[in-house]
Every structure is written in structure tokens, then in C-alpha cells.
């Protein structure tokens, strides 16, 4: 591969206006339609990762808080489930309208809590609105097997019922959007819920509860803040919760599945990824490079579907690396309010920044070379250089483990079978992309790659109509689309004997 000097990126900074505390949600958990202050609660610091300043504190919830929220959700579940589809749909449309009216506040809050560029936070709010609108429509158009006599003189009818109360645990990378991906289908399917946002980024979920307080009946949506092993674990083990749905890391997925085992509740897991990007020798390399500029570095690479593991045919590897490095060096890194063209922000926390830098140090120590980037960016905020790693030793940890930062690794292959085997060798199976102009290859390789989403000549393009979820270590269950509505409901067969 060609030798390219390592460059340091700079962070575009502005005179950031002071954070306006007036946009913060009220203090406390949101239970049974109101914020419940926990005056004696220990507080968890909420930090702005671009400025490293503490914005506020939220309650470190207890199992007793979870139990109160579950009781509220249980009390509310029958009347919510009895609403006819049109009524639930109208409420979810009103929810979407309310979020749209509050777009500016939600963007500012999400950017302050996560460090996201305002363009990314804006995409998150727009995606949230569309998720509620899609589910509001989809719930009125559900289908199932035709009613009919499948046994002589017996009429079979298949009903779709809500599950009851769902426990939800969400991550910090898309706090509002991941909450919406759960809340919208769960409510659309007629369930009530208790959600625990990430202890690092709970503000937009609490704000959502505040905004929706007068639209949803009390108890239908409850929010308890706190730590995973306390609040999340109680949700997973609570006997009155019918399903636990978690988006997060593989370790947290294993923990909730273990906690859920005693009550045999359903488990819905959207876990990590390490998306292979398989580039064949006939690919449009300019398209690959410009697409990866977004798909690898969007949300600072803190994205479960990020295009982070490039496998390129050896004959075009140098050409691709040159093009990719040129794109990556043009990325605009900055604090959230430094302009609509900022593409990459800081990492979410000091702990995560240290973790990503640790991955980079190990990769370089193992013999990888940074074609660009490779370390931290000096100054305030948890900024890491957008990085492309090449010359990787076979099986290097950085090509197998989820780094979850602005880091792409590039490896080579020599034929199609090797490409498929290498794409499938990681323990994850969330998403992948293949790049080729060959129609036969595009169908065959897509079919043989073990991932819940495979893009051809594209990466990281999503829509509410299509399912999202993984195979293998990336979990099971589907977010988005009518398949999410199926996941959050159960079938019941009712059979009528009409023989004489
Ligand atoms: P994390 O697993 O550290 O935390 C996720 C949530 O789980 C948090 O709310 C946390 O408090 C909670 N949690 C932690 N331990 C728990 C336990 N023992 N019991 C119950 N809950 C527990 O993940 P993160 O660092 O917040 O998010 C990043 C991870 O999420 C990455 O692995 C990423 O790939 C994954 N992710 C996946 C998707 C997807 O759609 N598949 C989407 C976004 C993020």
C-alpha cells in the first residue's frame, strides 16, 4: 500500500453559547404521567463531551423506582390495548406533530448531551418523527393469515394481541432515535412500557416524556433513569414485564438475557456490529470512498452499522486507500455549533475516548499503520482523529472487535470465496455492504453474507419501512417496519366448531 504521512486533524471551535438550562427536562423519573422527584436520590453527572462540562444531574434510580413504574404501566395496559387502531394511530400522529414542533429544542439538547454535530442531531429528530408517523400508519394496516376452515367444520381466526408491559433499555449513541425505535412500535402494537435511557445520555428521553405528557394516558410511557446493572437488570427480571428489549453492547445483551431467563420473558436484542465493506475489483472506487466518508464516520463512527471493516480486492487496494484517505482528510471535525457542515464530533465520554485510543494504540503496536489519523486531537473535548488503518496483521483485534469510533481498517482478499469467508469470520452479523458492478456477484455474495442487512453499492441507508436487526452476536429481534410490530405482539388462534 502507498505510504501516506499521518496528519493531525483540527477541531473547529466557536464561542459556544452557554448551555441554556431552561431546555432541560424536569428532574426525576417520569412515572404514571408525571415527573416524580427523588429528593434523596444520588445524582449521576451528565456531561457535554465537546466542552467536558457537567450540564446537570439525573436520579440514579433504584429497583423500587422500577417497581413503581412497572405498577403504573401494568395499571395502564388494558385500556391502552383496548383502543381501536384508529384511536392509537391518532395519538401517535399527535406525538409526531409534537416532536416536530419541538425539533429545535430536541436538537440542542441532544447535541449538548452527546456532542453530535447539529446536522446529525437534526437527522435523529427527523428520523424520530418519521418512526412515529410510520408506526401510526402501519398499525391500521396489519394483515395475517386469512380466517377459514383449515380443519373440517372448524373456523380458524388468528388474532394479534399486545404482549402487555415491555421493559426497554437504550444506548447513548442515538439516545432519542433509539428510544423512538422502541417506543413507537411498542405503543402501536398496544403495549405499555418502562424505558431506561443510557445513564450518560438520558436528557432527550426525559424531554420526550415531558413533551408527550398530555398526549399519552398516564402510565403508558414511563422513564426511569439510572444504571444498567440496577435499573436495567430489574426491568429484565421483573415478573410483571412481558418482554425486555435492549439496544446496546453484547455484554449487556447477555446480562439481560440471563436476568430474563427466570421469568421466561421474551427478549429482543439489538447489539453491536463490525460491518464488513467488501470491495471487488470492478467496483466504482470513487463511489466507495465518497460513500464511506459518511458511512464510516457518521456520528463519529459511534454507529452499530458503521462501515468500519473494509475488505478490498488486492488488485485495487492501493487505489482505494488513496481515495479513502483523501476523503477522510477533508472531514470537518468540530464542536456541535461550529456550523452545519461539521461532520465529526467528539466521542461521547472520557471512558469511551480512552477505550477507542486504547484500540488504536494496540493496533499500532500489533503492526498496523495509520494511513491517516491514529490518535487523539489535543484540546478540550473527547476528539479522536478520523483514522484509516492499513497493513493489518491477519486476525488483528482491531479488525475483529467493535471499536465504535472514527476508525476504519483496510484488509485485502484475493478471490470471492475468501472475501465471503473473511466477511463472515467476525462474531457479529448486523450489517455489511458489497461493492461491484457484476449483477450475478451482487446477488450471490449478498445471499452468502451472514448479516441482517446487506447493502449493494451503498452503506448505512435506512428507511422506516425496512427491518433492522442482526444475526449471531448482533442479537435477534427486529426494529423498524411491520416486523417490529410483529415482535412486540403475539398471535392467538381462536377456533370455532360450526359443524351440526
Ligand atoms: P451498553 O451495553 O454499555 O449500554 C446500553 C444500555 O444497557 C445502557 O442503558 C446501559 O445502562 C444498559 N446496561 C448495561 N449493563 C446492563 C445490565 N447488566 N442489565 C441491563 N442493562 C444494562 O452500550 P452503549 O455503550 O450504551 O452503546 C453502544 C453499543 O450499542 C454498541 O455495542 C452498539 O453497537 C450497540 N448499538 C446497537 C444498535 C443496533 O441497532 N443493533 C444500535 C445502537 C447501538
Amino acid at each position: 500500500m502507498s505510504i501516506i504521512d499521518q496528519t493531525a486533524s483540527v477541531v473547529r471551535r466557536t464561542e459556544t453559547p452557554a448551555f441554556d438550562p431552561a431546555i432541560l427536562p424536569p428532574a426525576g423519573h417520569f412515572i404514571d404521567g408525571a415527573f416524580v422527584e427523588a429528593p434523596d436520590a444520588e445524582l449521576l453527572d451528565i456531561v457535554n463531551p465537546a466542552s467536558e462540562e457537567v450540564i446537570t444531574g439525573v436520579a440514579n434510580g433504584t429497583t423500587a423506582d422500577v417497581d413503581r413504574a412497572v405498577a403504573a404501566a401494568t395499571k395502564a395496559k388494558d385500556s391502552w390495548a383496548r383502543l381501536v387502531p384508529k384511536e392509537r394511530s391518532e395519538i401517535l400522529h399527535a406525538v409526531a406533530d409534537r416532536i416536530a414542533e419541538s425539533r429545535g429544542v430536541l436538537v440542542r439538547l441532544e447535541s449538548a448531551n452527546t456532542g453530535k454535530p447539529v446536522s446529525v442531531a437534526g437527522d435523529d429528530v427527523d428520523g424520530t418523527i418519521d418512526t412515529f408517523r410510520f408506526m401510526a400508519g402501519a398499525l391500521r394496516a396489519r394483515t395475517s393469515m386469512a380466517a377459514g376452515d383449515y380443519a373440517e367444520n372448524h373456523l380458524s381466526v388468528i388474532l394479534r394481541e399486545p404482549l402487555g408491559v415491555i421493559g426497554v433499555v437504550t444506548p447513548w449513541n442515538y439516545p432519542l432515535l433509539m428510544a423512538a425505535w422502541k417506543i413507537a412500535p411498542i405503543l402501536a402494537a398496544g403495549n405499555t412500557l418502562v424505558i431506561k435511557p443510557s445513564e450518560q445520555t438520558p436528557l432527550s428521553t426525559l424531554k420526550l416524556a415531558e413533551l408527550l405528557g398530555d398526549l399519552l394516558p398516564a402510565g403508558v410511557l414511563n422513564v426511569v433513569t439510572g444504571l444498567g446493572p440496577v435499573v436495567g437488570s430489574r426491568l429484565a427480571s421483573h415478573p410483571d414485564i412481558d418482554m425486555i428489549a435492549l439496544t446496546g453492547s453484547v455484554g449487556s445483551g447477555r446480562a439481560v438475557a440471563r436476568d430474563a431467563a427466570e421469568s421466561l420473558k421474551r427478549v429482543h436484542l439489538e447489539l453491536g456490529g463490525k460491518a464488513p465493506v467488501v470491495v471487488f475489483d470492478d467496483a466504482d472506487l470513487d463511489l466507495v470512498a465518497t460513500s464511506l466518508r459518511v458511512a464510516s464516520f457518521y456520528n463519529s463512527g459511534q454507529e452499530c452499522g458503521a462501515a468500519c471493516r473494509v475488505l478490498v480486492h488486492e488488485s485495487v487496494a492501493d487505489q482505494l486507500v488513496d481515495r479513502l484517505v483523501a476523503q477522510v482528510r477533508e472531514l470537518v471535525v468540530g464542536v456541535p455549533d461550529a456550523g452545519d457542515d461539521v461532520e465529526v464530533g467528539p466521542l461521547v465520554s472520557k471512558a469511551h475516548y480512552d477505550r477507542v485510543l486504547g484500540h488504536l494504540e494496540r493496533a499500532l503496536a500489533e503492526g498496523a499503520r495509520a494511513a491517516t489519523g491514529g490518535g487523539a486531537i489535543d484540546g478540550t473535548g473527547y476528539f479522536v482523529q478520523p483514522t484509516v488503518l492499513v497493513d493489518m496483521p491477519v486476525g488483528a483485534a482491531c479488525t475483529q472487535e467493535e471499536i465504535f469510533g472514527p476508525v476504519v481498517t483496510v484488509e485485502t482478499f484475493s478471490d470471492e470465496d475468501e472475501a465471503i469467508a473473511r466477511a463472515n469470520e467476525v462474531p457479529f452479523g448486523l450489517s455489511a455492504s458489497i461493492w461491484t458492478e457484476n449483477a450475478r456477484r451482487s446477488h450471490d455474495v449478498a445471499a452468502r453474507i451472514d448479516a441482517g442487512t446487506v447493502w449493494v453499492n451503498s452503506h448505512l441507508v435506512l428507511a422506516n419501512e425496512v427491518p433492522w436487526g442482526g444475526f449471531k452476536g448482533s442479537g435477534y429481534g427486529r426494529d423498524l417496519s411491520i416486523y417490529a410490530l410483529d415482535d412486540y405482539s403475539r398471535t392467538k388462534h381462536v377456533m370455532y366448531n360450526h359443524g351440526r
Side-chain angles (χ1 to χ4, degrees), residues 66-97:
V66 176
D67 292 354
R68 267 200 299 282
V70 174
T74 305
K75 189 167 60 133
K77 74 176 178 178
D78 287 345
S79 49
W80 182 252
R82 269 200 303 275
L83 293 182
V84 295
K86 178 171 184 283
E87 292 169 316
R88 277 206 302 275
S89 173
E90 283 170 353
I91 293 174
L92 293 186
H93 275 301
V95 165
D97 291 343

Side-chain angles (χ1 to χ4, degrees), residues 327-391:
Q327 288 294 327
V328 172
R329 287 184 172 175
E330 281 178 10
L331 281 165
V332 180
V333 180
V335 299
D337 359 57
D340 290 343
D341 57 337
V342 172
E343 293 166 279
V344 177
L347 299 183
V348 76
S349 65
K350 174 74 165 65
H352 189 51
Y353 167 87
D354 289 341
R355 199 178 306 133
V356 170
L357 291 178
H359 275 291
L360 285 176
E361 272 167 31
R362 272 196 305 282
L364 298 173
E366 279 179 347
R369 183 170 60 80
T372 189
I377 309 181
D378 290 341
T380 308
Y382 310 128
F383 290 91
V384 169
Q385 293 174 322
T387 297
V388 177
L389 295 177
V390 298
D391 298 348

Side-chain angles (χ1 to χ4, degrees), residues 169-170 172-173 196 199 247-249 252 271-272 304 402 404 468:
V169 179
T170 50
W172 48 256
N173 60 341
K196 187 203 90 64
E199 56 276 23
T247 297
S249 60
S252 303
L271 308 179
C304 47
E402 191 180 40
F404 224 58
W468 177 254

Side-chain angles (χ1 to χ4, degrees), residues 109-167:
L109 200 57
E110 197 75 320
S111 278
N113 196 171
T114 60
K116 282 173 196 270
V118 288
S119 59
V120 177
D123 287 351
D124 290 1
V125 179
D126 294 342
T128 295
I129 296 164
D130 196 47
T131 299
F132 278 99
R133 287 211 198 293
F134 173 81
M135 290 299 168
L139 80 92
R140 299 185 70 179
R142 304 183 73 187
T143 56
S144 71
M145 191 178 82
D149 282 15
Y150 297 99
E152 192 178 350
N153 290 330
H154 284 72
L155 171 67
S156 287
V157 176
I158 305 293
L159 303 177
R160 266 276 167 195
E161 299 182 338
L163 295 173
V165 178
I166 316 280

